[in-house]
Amino acid sequence: MSCTKHFLNLEWEHHQWRPRVVDAEVLAAEEADMWGKPVFRDYVRCDKQEVCENCGAVRHEKSCVCEPGKAERCNAYLAWRAEKGPVAK
């Protein structure tokens, strides 16, 4: 289906964008606690795209990093994980 709209002599595109995770991984990062001792924390890094639901056009490829708790509330990440299986550490 085309997302190009026409009216009189005008033409414009109207997409319905939704985020989609292309790839994700769990990373362990070393941080210092308040006493300067190393502490390891897990983070989830996702490669995302915005995809038009109607025509399949892709825009805005980007990466994001968040804590595992926030990733468990991200609909795009949850859909990717359900499709691909668990993320390797």
Side-chain angles (χ1 to χ4, degrees), residues 19-59:
R20 178 178 70 184
V21 173
V22 179
D23 192 25
E25 64 182 336
V26 176
L27 304 171
E30 182 179 347
E31 299 177 353
D33 65 5
M34 61 190 289
W35 296 282
K37 294 182 181 181
V39 176
F40 291 93
R41 296 189 183 182
D42 288 340
Y43 291 96
V44 178
R45 186 193 60 78
C46 295
D47 294 327
K48 292 183 178 179
Q49 299 175 335
E50 288 184 340
V51 179
C52 178
E53 292 179 344
N54 296 327
C55 69
V58 177
R59 73 170 186 179

Side-chain angles (χ1 to χ4, degrees), residues 2 6 12 14 19-20 27-29 33 41 48 55 78 80 87:
S2 175
H6 302 277
W12 69 95
H14 180 73
R20 178 178 70 184
L27 304 171
D33 65 5
R41 296 189 183 182
K48 292 183 178 179
C55 69
L78 293 174
W80 176 85
V87 176

Side-chain angles (χ1 to χ4, degrees), residues 2-21:
S2 175
C3 290
T4 303
K5 306 293 181 186
H6 302 277
F7 181 74
L8 296 176
N9 201 17
L10 299 174
E11 186 175 296
W12 69 95
E13 290 186 352
H14 180 73
H15 296 283
Q16 291 183 338
W17 300 108
R18 87 177 155 79
R20 178 178 70 184
V21 173

